[in-house]
């Protein structure tokens, strides 16, 4: 078929993860850089901006490369639905680089389709199972941390968590601020605090010196 194009799709789950390994695979295939679509988003569904942009460009006969099936997604039913839409509705071919059996160009007969579909079933199940295990481990970690009384996420800022220098600056400038020799903005800058945190700390400090 003439005027067909080759695309690549790359996905990592978070902005901190590295796409280099997947991009190297795309470069080996000589895929034009502008035809490689990259998402840094969860694979739980297909509501991803670059994936949707890619899908809008795919036409019958085009080739789509992904390094592994879990880069396409992590939800078993969603992967199979999307796979069928790309291959059956749009008419594009998909090549999963690390799983040669998942190359829709090669398996057009009944037995070939059976084998490819079987592999797809197994791999989508594995992708979803891995996601469920990850979520379970995260939930267990949160539960353990809560049981130990640990605060999750950004540490709570209070009077006791101030650095030694912040405590010195607080005590040195508190009276000057109270008599309006320095502004609240200036005091906040000295302490390196934002407005909400500043007034929370001041309230705790005043309670401590009144006690």
């Amino acid at each position: 078929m003439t005027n067909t194009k080759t695309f690549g799709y790359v996905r990592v789950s978070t902005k901190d993860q590295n796409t280099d390994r997947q991009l190297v695979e795309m470069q080996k295939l000589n895929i034009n850089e502008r035809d490689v679509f990259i998402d840094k988003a969860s694979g739980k569904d297909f509501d991803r901006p670059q994936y949707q942009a890619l899908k809008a460009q795919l036409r019958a006969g085009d080739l789509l490369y992904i390094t592994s099936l879990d880069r396409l997604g992590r939800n078993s039913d969603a992967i199979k639905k999307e796979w069928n839409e790309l291959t059956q509705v749009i008419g594009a071919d998909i090549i999963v680089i690390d799983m040669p059996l998942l190359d829709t160009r090669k398996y057009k007969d009944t037995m070939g389709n059976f084998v490819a579909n079987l592999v797809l079933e197994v791999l989508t199940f594995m992708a979803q199972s891995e996601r469920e295990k990850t979520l379970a481990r995260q939930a267990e970690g949160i539960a353990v941390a809560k049981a130990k009384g640990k605060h999750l996420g950004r540490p709570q800022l209070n009077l006791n968590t101030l650095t030694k220098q912040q405590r010195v600056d607080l005590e040195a400038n508190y009276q000057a601020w109270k008599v309006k020799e320095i502004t609240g903005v200036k005091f906040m800058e000295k302490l390196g605090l934002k407005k909400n945190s500043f007034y929370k700390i001041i309230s705790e400090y005043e309670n401590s010196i009144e006690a």
Side-chain angles (χ1 to χ4, degrees):
M1 185 177 292
T2 59
N3 298 321
T4 58
K5 294 187 66 174
T6 300
F7 296 93
Y9 180 67
V10 169
R11 184 187 69 79
V12 290
S13 297
T14 69
K15 292 181 179 178
D16 297 329
Q17 290 180 306
N18 197 305
T19 58
D20 288 354
R21 184 186 66 81
Q22 295 178 68
L23 290 174
V24 165
E25 293 298 323
M26 300 302 163
Q27 289 168 0
K28 289 178 182 177
L29 297 164
N30 295 316
I31 301 175
N32 193 308
E33 186 177 341
R34 69 184 180 186
D35 294 324
V36 177
F37 292 77
I38 304 171
D39 273 315
K40 294 190 174 184
S42 168
K44 64 181 180 179
D45 57 41
F46 287 87
D47 187 20
R48 309 174 215 139
Q50 288 301 300
Y51 178 79
Q52 292 301 326
L54 161 67
K55 190 174 176 181
Q57 291 195 36
L58 279 174
R59 299 291 183 268
D62 287 345
L63 301 180
L64 171 60
Y65 282 91
I66 53 175
T67 57
S68 59
L69 190 63
D70 62 0
R71 297 307 87 202
L72 185 62
R74 288 282 193 179
N75 180 285
S76 177
D77 290 338
I79 292 173
K80 288 182 285 186
K81 179 177 180 293
E82 203 68 22
W83 183 279
N84 287 331
E85 190 167 336
L86 296 178
T87 59
Q88 304 301 319
V89 179
I90 295 176
D93 278 306
I94 305 175
I95 301 93
V96 180
I97 296 171
D98 70 354
M99 182 53 62
L101 282 172
L102 290 180
D103 181 343
T104 60
R105 299 170 303 174
K106 295 180 179 179
Y107 302 105
K108 301 296 185 182
D109 61 4
T110 302
M111 181 56 70
N113 283 332
F114 172 77
V115 172
N117 287 336
L118 182 61
V119 173
L120 181 62
E121 287 282 349
V122 171
L123 292 180
T124 53
F125 171 78
M126 290 174 62
Q128 179 159 329
S129 295
E130 185 58 34
R131 171 172 168 74
E132 289 172 354
K133 287 177 184 177
T134 299
L135 292 174
R137 287 194 294 267
Q138 290 172 346
E140 288 171 5
I142 291 170
V144 169
K146 285 183 176 178
K148 291 181 178 180
K150 293 182 179 179
H151 175 74
L152 300 174
R154 187 174 295 178
Q156 290 288 336
L157 188 63
N158 56 52
L159 191 60
N160 293 326
T161 61
L162 292 180
T163 65
K164 184 176 181 180
Q165 186 59 54
Q166 283 177 312
R167 186 66 184 237
V168 168
D169 290 336
L170 173 61
E171 294 172 354
N173 293 280
Y174 174 75
Q175 286 300 330
W177 171 70
K178 287 293 284 185
V179 297
K180 299 184 178 179
E181 289 180 2
I182 63 171
T183 65
V185 172
K186 190 67 177 177
F187 200 3
M188 289 178 216
E189 289 177 357
K190 286 179 178 291
L191 296 175
L193 298 174
K194 297 197 174 180
K195 187 174 180 179
N196 289 343
S197 299
F198 171 75
Y199 284 107
K200 180 177 183 291
I201 296 295
I202 289 296
S203 177
E204 291 182 9
Y205 178 69
E206 290 177 337
N207 288 335
S208 72
I209 60 179
E210 290 171 3

